Amino acid sequence: MPHRALDAVRAAIDAVDDLTARDLAPVLTALVDGAGAVGAAVADVADGRLEPLALAGEVPRQLEPAITRALSVGTAAREGSLLAVPLPCPQATNLVLVAEMGADRDLEVLVRATGHQLTLRLELVDARRRLDAAEARTETLALATQALGRTLELQEVFTAILSQLRLVVPYSSASVQRLEGRRLQIIGGHGFDNLDEILTLSFDLRADDNPNRLVIESRQPVILAEAPEEYPAFRENPHMPAGIRSWLGVPLEFGDRILGMLSIDSREGDFYDDGHARIAQAFAAQAAIAIENARLFGEMRRMATHDSMTGLPNRRHLDDVGAQAVERARREGRAVSLLLFDLDRFKVVNDSHGHAVGDEVLCEIARRARALVRPQDVLARFGGVEFVVLLPDTDEPTAIAVAERLRGAVGEQQVDTSAGPLTVTISVGVSARDVADVPMSELLREADHRLYEAKARGRDRVVAG
């Protein structure tokens, strides 16, 4: 057999990039025109049906006996002058090379070798394709995780997780769930028409009516091929409108702590596989870091603006927010009032019962004051035993009424402490403007003067201008 025939076959095999007639036909043509085969074909047997992918020369129609025999024994098989060689490549399960050799028995060696080389080539093509896909997924994952680090606002992180997740794992709908005690609370979602309802859901991890428990307990991805068949809740509201069939749950872990999970849904059955689970798990690891960073940032910011003991805003926060509120009232020509109050004879409490009991009293007073103010009011611990209440859109008579209610809420009911119930009273200074015309610092100065006057008059009272 001329070397040029062998070279032509090898060159044609080296050029194969896919299971298409364009790629496979040159190999068959090289066997026919260059090596002398009567005819050749590559066929795929799917569901009992033979479908030629490429043909060359004169190939008999009765290929089935040779192909069936080759597939049954798993190796090359002859049927008369036909030789069938299985091609066990990753892209097709029942692929066969068939050659009509005529009277030239020497062709059998070349056809067998062609089948072997073609198999290796197709395996190489598949490996390269999978490598390219893996590299693309890795790059996408890297870009997605980089995007998670662009914000330290917790709610923005949840939004970024759902938007970037879609780049690495396809989904119809998805949710971020935070672990709170023995419950998972949905805190972010995408792809739901009834998102408001979805955001009210939480899952009891002691119940067995949801797959979320399995994710948290195993700390491993969980795949459901047909979720509604295994868990009836998927067939009920509020889940039903999403049309969820396939479900993938992935834990969000930071160190040895589990923060929650990602729930990833598809309207297609049996959609998710181990490959999706692996990349989702890699993404979840980065998402957990982003969540924890945002949480720590939020805590640090809160520590800088809030009193650690009572949980109320501190003077720094009051200076910023209060100044803005007073300036807004000035621009709009609206009223503003400010209350400054402190606890009467609080040193006696500390000296008699210790500072720990004093702290208990301060926390209770803060709680009672918080229960009285409106959402738009600013209640802050000003320092020591002094507290401030900034009241936007509030004139002096109304501010005095609020101050009296506050004084009554503190003094009319004893404070329960570890040292027993204690009677506590407060004195309040009121500064008010029907139309805001002075800065925050002036309101504080006036209120402080009137608080001093309330102390001088015997304490447990409200003094206004």
Side-chain angles (χ1 to χ4, degrees):
M1 186 179 301
H3 286 294
R4 62 177 178 274
L6 297 175
D7 292 341
V9 172
R10 291 193 187 103
I13 291 175
D14 289 342
V16 171
D17 283 327
D18 209 343
L19 290 176
T20 63
R22 184 189 66 185
D23 285 344
L24 296 175
V27 178
L28 305 181
T29 300
L31 285 175
V32 173
D33 294 346
V38 176
V42 175
D44 189 12
V45 182
D47 300 324
R49 297 174 55 190
L50 188 151
E51 296 186 6
L53 301 180
L55 301 170
E58 299 177 10
V59 181
R61 294 184 178 180
Q62 297 301 318
L63 303 178
E64 288 88 345
I67 290 176
T68 301
R69 184 178 172 193
L71 291 176
S72 65
V73 298
T75 187
R78 291 197 58 147
E79 191 72 27
S81 61
L82 284 176
L83 178 64
V85 183
L87 305 176
C89 74
Q91 301 173 61
T93 54
N94 295 323
L95 202 65
V96 181
L97 168 67
V98 185
E100 168 68 52
M101 296 179 295
D104 188 353
R105 297 285 179 171
D106 293 336
L107 272 175
E108 181 172 338
V109 175
L110 179 60
V111 174
R112 287 175 181 268
T114 299
H116 177 67
Q117 293 297 319
L118 191 54
T119 298
L120 294 178
R121 176 63 187 179
L122 291 172
E123 288 176 348
L124 177 61
V125 168
D126 182 69
R128 287 177 177 171
R129 183 180 292 112
R130 285 186 284 110
L131 179 61
D132 290 344
E135 289 178 347
R137 287 194 300 270
T138 300
E139 183 177 358
T140 302
L141 179 62
L143 293 173
T145 54
Q146 285 174 17
L148 297 181
R150 291 177 187 149
T151 179
L152 286 172
E153 296 292 338
L154 192 56
Q155 198 55 50
E156 291 180 6
V157 168
F158 295 144
T159 301
I161 286 172
L162 293 170
S163 64
Q164 298 302 315
L165 173 62
R166 198 166 214 163
L167 300 178
V168 296
V169 180
Y171 68 76
S172 303
S173 56
S175 65
V176 182
Q177 302 176 18
R178 181 166 56 197
L179 183 61
E180 299 176 352
R182 292 296 297 168
R183 299 191 74 86
L184 279 168
Q185 177 69 47
I186 295 181
I187 53 177
H190 188 269
F192 298 97
D193 292 336
N194 57 338
L195 182 59
D196 290 344
E197 285 185 276
I198 294 297
L199 291 177
T200 66
L201 291 180
S202 66
F203 304 97
D204 188 346
L205 295 179
R206 293 165 295 187
D208 58 2
D209 61 350
N210 65 82
N212 310 57
R213 176 177 61 87
L214 300 178
V215 176
I216 300 301
E217 290 181 352
S218 69
R219 295 196 172 196
Q220 295 293 327
V222 173
I223 298 174
L224 302 180
E226 290 290 348
E229 294 181 6
E230 299 187 50
Y231 293 92
F234 284 97
R235 303 195 297 267
E236 303 167 358
N237 286 327
H239 296 89
M240 185 179 66
I244 298 169
R245 292 182 61 189
S246 300
W247 185 89
L248 170 60
V250 184
L252 290 166
E253 295 183 273
F254 184 82
D256 60 352
R257 292 188 296 115
I258 186 160
L259 308 181
M261 61 169 283
L262 299 177
S263 175
I264 308 169
D265 321 314
S266 175
R267 294 187 179 91
E268 295 183 34
D270 197 17
F271 182 80
Y272 296 114
D273 57 26
D274 290 342
H276 292 118
R278 283 192 296 272
I279 195 167
Q281 195 170 23
F283 178 84
Q286 299 301 315
I289 293 173
I291 291 172
E292 187 64 9
N293 286 343
R295 185 190 68 80
L296 291 174
F297 176 75
E299 283 188 4
M300 291 176 62
R301 184 167 58 184
R302 181 174 177 81
M303 288 172 61
T305 59
H306 285 69
D307 173 50
S308 61
M309 184 174 67
T310 63
L312 295 179
N314 58 21
R315 182 167 182 171
R316 175 180 175 180
H317 184 72
L318 176 68
D319 288 343
D320 293 339
V321 176
Q324 294 173 17
V326 173
E327 174 59 21
R328 185 164 53 250
R330 185 195 65 77
R331 289 198 310 267
E332 298 173 1
R334 302 166 78 172
V336 66
S337 296
L338 183 143
L339 313 180
L340 179 63
F341 70 91
D342 78 355
L343 280 65
D344 298 325
R345 298 186 175 89
F346 188 71
K347 186 175 184 300
V348 175
V349 174
N350 282 335
D351 291 346
S352 301
H353 305 288
H355 288 277
V357 172
D359 291 346
E360 293 175 26
V361 172
L362 287 172
C363 289
E364 175 60 18
I365 300 309
R367 187 193 66 79
R368 294 183 188 183
R370 190 185 291 112
L372 281 174
V373 301
R374 304 167 300 179
Q376 65 267 37
D377 299 333
V378 181
L379 170 64
R381 186 179 180 188
F382 196 60
V385 295
E386 291 184 325
F387 296 82
V388 169
V389 185
L390 181 65
L391 304 166
D393 299 320
T394 304
D395 57 17
E396 185 172 75
T398 305
I400 293 172
V402 172
E404 289 291 358
R405 287 200 303 272
L406 183 60
R407 188 179 67 84
V410 173
E412 292 174 4
Q413 182 180 355
Q414 288 185 307
V415 176
D416 290 328
T417 72
S418 56
L422 300 177
T423 299
V424 181
T425 63
I426 62 171
S427 298
V428 188
V430 179
S431 176
R433 292 289 190 280
D434 290 338
V435 177
D437 59 358
V438 296
M440 176 79 173
S441 58
E442 181 63 18
L443 292 174
L444 279 168
R445 188 192 65 77
E446 288 183 0
D448 183 58
H449 177 75
R450 286 159 190 166
L451 171 60
Y452 180 81
E453 187 176 345
K455 296 285 189 180
R457 290 185 188 180
R459 300 179 175 84
D460 190 20
R461 68 187 64 242
V462 174
V463 172

